């Protein structure tokens, strides 16, 4: 039986979550990011163009819900991955699914 709470398993999971959050913030973070979705969709040969409305439709979120989720992910990145904050160890990780 696999021990899902083993140290190696937790290390692997935390590493993957960190990568997910960092890349998510590149794609959905500041519009100035080269990888921001709005920069990429302007290059039609890379990806079919879409809009913020399409993102909201696919995620089944309102703009307010999306903004709150965005803030949660950015906070997670800032406190745990970019600028580790020891006082924030009790923060709940938002769903990435």
């Amino acid at each position: 039986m696999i021990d899902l709470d083993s140290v190696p398993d937790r290390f692997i999971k935390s590493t993957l979550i960190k990568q997910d959050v960092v890349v998510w913030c590149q794609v959905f973070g500041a519009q100035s990011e080269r990888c921001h979705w709005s920069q990429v969709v302007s290059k039609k040969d890379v990806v079919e163009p879409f809009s913020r409305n399409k993102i909201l439709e696919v995620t089944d979120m309102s703009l307010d819900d999306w903004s709150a989720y965005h803030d949660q992910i950015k906070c997670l990145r800032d406190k745990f991955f970019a600028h580790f904050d020891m006082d924030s160890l009790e923060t709940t990780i938002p769903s990435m699914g």
Side-chain angles (χ1 to χ4, degrees), residues 1-66:
M1 177 175 234
I2 298 173
D3 180 7
L4 296 179
D5 292 322
S6 69
V7 172
D9 185 64
R10 281 183 282 162
F11 174 77
I12 291 168
K13 285 179 182 176
S14 65
T15 301
L16 293 173
I17 289 171
K18 176 181 179 178
Q19 186 65 27
D20 288 346
V21 168
V22 169
V23 171
W24 191 97
C25 286
Q26 288 174 335
V27 174
F28 297 106
Q31 286 187 331
S32 59
E33 289 277 350
R34 286 182 34 178
C35 293
H36 189 269
W37 70 269
S38 64
Q39 303 284 345
V40 175
V41 297
S42 66
K43 299 171 178 49
K44 294 179 182 170
D45 58 326
V46 177
V47 66
E48 183 178 328
F50 60 91
S51 65
R52 175 180 292 162
N53 289 338
K54 186 65 172 177
I55 295 170
L56 296 176
E57 177 187 327
V58 169
T59 59
D60 196 29
M61 290 185 178
S62 68
L63 185 55
D64 288 341
D65 292 340
W66 177 260

